[in-house]
Amino acid sequence: MIKKTVESAINEQIKREEFSSRLYLSMAIWCESNGFPGAATFLYRQSDEERMHQLKLVHYVNDRGGKAALMSLSAPEANFGTLKEVFEQVMEHERYITSSINDLYEVTLNEKDYTTGNFLQWYITEQIEEESTMSTILDKISLVGSDKSGMFHIDKELSAMSAAAPAVGAE
Ligand code: OFO
């Protein structure tokens, strides 16, 4: 049976993963209506992956005899100035999620809940990959600056990334 402290810390993470999914959905909508169909495809897919991260935690809590709980969420940002700004915010958000996963892991260590700590290793590894992918994308966007043909190619590349490889964070 999962301890209440661990259960409530995971429920907070469930909320954060749900917010991540909504944030990336909002970004995808912006990209789609601002001439970046490839970035939109990439972010719609990322949004789905964040929902998968959320569900994985939901099932874990329930399987361990706890009860997953949903919480209220504020609306995510809907307006972005540029594609660069979108991915700067993605990067910032992923760093925040990494630190929240690390905090959650610390809770499991303090509670001597090594089973949950072991379960969280998957998230720790995924965050390394997510930060690395997002940082690469951001570097490319920064490199082309405001060059329109460069941006066009980056958008195409994001579309290809969504089609060719398992999305970041996929199992
Ligand atoms: Fe759930 O990994 Fe991104 O936020």
Side-chain angles (χ1 to χ4, degrees), residues 13 16-17 20 24 46 49-50 53 93-94 97 123 126-127 130:
Q13 191 62 31
R16 287 188 278 266
E17 299 292 345
S20 301
Y24 296 161
Q46 283 308 122
E49 290 308 321
E50 297 300 346
H53 295 175
H93 186 70
E94 285 305 326
I97 293 294
Y123 286 84
E126 285 307 314
Q127 284 310 119
E130 289 205 342

